[in-house]
Amino acid sequence: MTHPAPGFRPDVEGMRGIAIVTVVSYHCGLRPITGGFVGVDIFFVLSGYLITRLLVSEVERDGRLNVLQFYARRLRRLLPASALTLAVTLAAGSLLFAPGELDFAARAGRASAVYLGNVFFAINAADYFAPRVELNPLVHMWSLAVEEQFYLFWPLLIASGLVWIRSRRALIAFMMAMTAASLAACIVLTAADATTAFYLLPTRAWEFGAGGLLSLALWQPRLPSRVSVVIGWAGLALIGVSLLLISAESAFPGWLAVVPVAGTCAMLSAGAAMPGAGVSALLSRPPLLRLGTLSYSWYLWHWPFLVFAHVLFPGLSAAGKVTAALLALVAAAACFRFVENPLRHHPVLVRRPLLSVATGLALTCVCFASAVQARAFAQALAHRPSMRGFAAAAGDDGRLPRAACVATGAEATVRHCEFGTTGAPTRVVLFGDSHAIHWFNPIESIAEKRAWTLMTVLKSGCGAPDLDAGAPGSDRRDASCDAWRREAVDAVIRWRPDLVILGTATNHTQVDRPAWRQRVHDGMRAALQALVANGLRVVVMRDVPRFVFDVPDCLAHASRLGRDASESCRGTLASNVNAEVFAAEQEAAAGLKGVSFVDTLPALCTQGVCETMTEGRVMYRDDNHLTGAFAETLEPIIEPQLSAALYRN
């Protein structure tokens, strides 16, 4: 039984429309869509289904596989629009971005130009000290890199079964083995390193494989019409469940990715069996068809528009994001009309596949060169007098030798460092996460002045209180953090210092406040009890404001746009400080002898306004960490409070 030649499927175009709407809605922060990123999984399944259908039909029709023609079609389809997006994005970034932002975008552009954007972001997203990946205007290119890598090996897999072995059974066996191995790798790696599993092809290939296997399965006799209709609606329901119940804090992709993949396969199956009926009729509606047609271009343009809107309007509202996304849709329509479609169907390129490939390679070289040039400009920009202070602030994480003294990533071993006066009768311990680290400069200065021994027990992203998660709002536990915390508490108790200084990132403002407040209360109570029960005095450093923008970058943007930097990049006490969290910490300390607090907030926010610059000095190195230089200016405020805690009866 052979498959009919591939033809246009309105329901497939409608599924593309649903996929792009979910992705854009998620990036605009529209609730209750917390799992909109599964739109990418829908695209992967559709690609596996359509490409397999196309290649297998070609082999059955011609008895061979024209690989050159296949790559020529893919390059004409994908590269012109993506190359234009990359070049325009880097050009706009060169006009608006801070030096560090532009450098990061240029490095991402360089990787994206050679179809390795997913590898680049897998590495940088996993790096705690890397620039914020989610604000890179090219981060969405990771999925294009995955698709392009898929196109490299998939024709070979088809050819191995149908051309070389000449057996459909062999092809199905190869495809099933690859899909099963990839799914197993996805599940295992998600449990160990979800970031890497999210970005890389080996843990995503099973989604393409699921679409490919479905394409082969649909060659068999179809299911009864009523069953097909039910399956189609069930598939749409699975997509809906994915959008509402999966979130950025979920262990994704892993097993959870099976839900949207299964939903997509169910809708594809129903559409093949009953075209124009059931869910297929919904998917074939003109609005979804039009969005499906523009889905690729809109995907390319929506994220740069959102990032640049954030640059121009710090703290952009959801309505502002939707406006930016709609403007991106206009740009996408223009790109489709004047670039994507004309080059895809250009008669000269269609007749000459080798010319198509050569044109694609030329565009790749142009994109790579553009990224190299943008990075060179970023480095020159960083040395301009107007930018030096902002660039220096972004890199000012204090004097602490991090490599020797801070545990990072999945490391669970406690690193112990000593500063100040060795062997002094007074010993203090700085204990906590990166929000303890940014207090190091003033506390070390105080230790030097007062002849104390300062010991540090620090791990990035892991505080002394057990807050039950790797991120606010998440129910996922970090096993390495749990192990490190237990060992750290034991070490601090064993050393019996005169004072323990706790610093923890608790001032999260964009979370469920009652739930987070309770989590902070319970975690802080348990941490304080463990230390106080062993006769230790404890000081808790009140957390600092958290902004909705990266402070040095915002200041640099304002300077480049001719705005008053300090006026443009302020925050408010109401929006940048979660007062309920500090109250929860104080309640957690109630009744515990020897616990006190150091509160520097009056120096950071006055009259309801939280400044980001003072006396020409940048106060923060990102959106929630003080610069080492500014933190040191708070020494006169911190010193008397530490002394009072140390010598209080």
Side-chain angles (χ1 to χ4, degrees), residues 51 54-55 58-59 61-62 64-78 151 155 343-358:
I51 294 301
L54 178 71
L55 294 175
E58 180 181 339
V59 173
R61 183 185 66 243
D62 303 333
R64 65 187 182 88
L65 190 60
N66 191 330
V67 176
L68 178 63
Q69 188 68 263
F70 170 78
Y71 288 131
R73 288 194 300 265
R74 291 296 89 201
L75 288 170
R76 290 198 307 272
R77 171 73 177 90
L78 300 176
Y151 295 144
L343 290 177
R344 180 183 181 185
H345 300 293
H346 195 285
V348 174
L349 294 175
V350 170
R351 289 195 304 268
R352 299 179 180 179
L354 193 59
L355 179 61
S356 295
V357 173

Side-chain angles (χ1 to χ4, degrees), residues 426-428 452 498-499 537 641-648:
T426 300
R427 298 185 302 163
V428 299
W452 295 345
D498 298 281
L499 186 65
R537 295 174 181 265
Q641 297 185 64
L642 288 185
S643 297
L646 184 62
Y647 301 116
R648 183 180 291 119

Side-chain angles (χ1 to χ4, degrees), residues 402-583:
R402 287 179 177 270
C405 301
V406 180
T408 58
E411 184 180 358
T413 303
V414 172
R415 299 190 183 191
H416 165 223
C417 292
E418 289 192 8
F419 304 89
T421 302
T422 303
T426 300
R427 298 185 302 163
V428 299
V429 171
L430 180 60
F431 181 14
D433 57 16
S434 60
H435 282 228
I437 295 172
H438 69 192
W439 296 118
F440 175 79
N441 276 20
I443 293 174
E444 187 206 26
S445 296
I446 295 168
E448 290 280 1
K449 182 191 304 184
R450 290 184 168 263
W452 295 345
T453 297
L454 170 62
M455 299 178 284
T456 60
V457 184
L458 305 164
K459 177 175 169 63
S460 296
C462 184
D466 181 358
L467 302 181
D468 296 331
S474 169
D475 292 324
R476 294 162 54 194
R477 296 197 66 86
D478 184 338
S480 67
C481 182
D482 291 341
W484 177 86
R485 184 185 297 108
R486 287 192 297 270
E487 184 179 340
V489 170
D490 289 344
V492 171
I493 292 172
R494 187 170 60 251
W495 297 334
R496 301 201 62 76
D498 298 281
L499 186 65
V500 181
I501 305 169
L502 297 187
T504 306
T506 56
N507 185 34
H508 298 285
T509 55
Q510 307 299 318
V511 296
D512 183 332
R513 288 183 176 234
W516 183 243
R517 186 188 196 284
Q518 190 62 44
R519 182 174 289 178
V520 170
H521 175 276
D522 295 345
M524 185 63 74
R525 181 74 178 183
L528 294 175
Q529 284 179 327
L531 297 171
V532 171
N534 286 274
L536 301 180
R537 295 174 181 265
V538 183
V539 160
V540 179
M541 304 293 296
R542 182 176 185 176
D543 203 7
V544 300
R546 180 177 292 263
F547 294 84
V548 294
F549 48 79
D550 182 283
V551 170
D553 287 345
C554 181
L555 295 169
H557 300 157
S559 177
R560 298 199 70 189
L561 292 168
R563 299 171 178 169
D564 185 304
S566 60
E567 290 285 341
S568 300
C569 302
R570 286 174 167 175
T572 65
L573 191 65
S575 61
N576 297 115
V577 176
N578 190 343
E580 297 170 10
V581 163
F582 188 52

